[in-house]
Amino acid sequence: MEHIAEDFLHQVMEFEEAIFAQTPVEAHRYDDAYFADGWREGDNRYELKTRRQVEARNPQLIKEVFDPKRVLDVGCGPGFLMYFLHELGIDVQGVDFSPSSRDLAPAEMRERIRIGDVATSHFADRSFDLVICREVFEHLTVLQVRETVRCICAASSRSVYTTTRFHPKPA
């Protein structure tokens, strides 16, 4: 029994070391080329026309399901989902740590995007009835995910909608 406890303790220590050894990705990794180049499958670029096709009914479904008045999009990138929600009459703000996000955003969204760490609170608690965070967690360290979840939950007065990227054969 003592051997099992020692093995478990060793595994926990290895796990903790791996967590604390993770280093955050730097903002320059998500530059204009990350968003605009055609490296994604199907030439899926971050351009308004392409993103409208990719999003399809998603903005309308978000409005129907959550009925939000104020939305925060955490890790908003160039703000295309924000723009589509704005078209539906929703007051939307975003936060992303890449300055390219604001540069590439539709003009109507540029001033609505704050540049900063998604693992830091940028708005008062309970400021939004819906906080969206789609395909962001996989870009963060485990410790950043913990803080980002805390910030997302604090910013929402009602609902949180998160997703992570799915790949059938992840590296």
Side-chain angles (χ1 to χ4, degrees), residues 59-147:
Q60 185 62 42
L61 289 172
I62 290 168
K63 182 175 182 173
E64 290 171 13
V65 170
F66 296 103
D67 190 31
K69 306 298 181 252
R70 291 203 72 217
V71 171
L72 174 62
D73 188 354
V74 175
C76 64
F80 295 121
L81 177 61
M82 292 172 55
Y83 182 77
F84 303 142
L85 294 172
H86 174 74
E87 289 178 323
L88 296 173
I90 298 169
D91 179 14
V92 62
Q93 299 287 319
V95 62
D96 199 283
F97 85 137
S98 172
S100 289
S101 296
R102 187 182 290 149
D103 298 340
L104 297 171
E108 299 87 344
M109 295 299 105
R110 288 186 188 133
E111 294 305 313
R112 295 174 171 266
I113 297 174
R114 289 195 185 180
I115 302 302
D117 185 354
V118 297
T120 301
S121 293
H122 295 273
F123 299 92
D125 287 358
R126 303 177 57 80
S127 295
F128 300 90
D129 46 351
L130 173 62
V131 178
I132 297 172
C133 183
R134 299 187 319 171
E135 298 187 18
V136 173
F137 295 142
E138 62 269 23
H139 299 277
L140 305 175
T141 68
V142 171
L143 296 176
Q144 286 176 311
V145 169
R146 181 180 69 185
E147 284 305 303

Side-chain angles (χ1 to χ4, degrees), residues 35-49:
F35 290 110
D37 283 357
W39 59 268
R40 291 175 179 79
E41 184 178 330
D43 200 29
N44 179 8
R45 298 170 193 255
Y46 271 84
E47 296 168 345
L48 189 63
K49 181 181 175 185

Side-chain angles (χ1 to χ4, degrees), residues 74 131-133 137 147-156 160 162:
V74 175
V131 178
I132 297 172
C133 183
F137 295 142
E147 284 305 303
T148 302
V149 168
R150 184 191 61 73
C151 292
I152 288 169
C153 291
S156 176
V160 171
T162 65

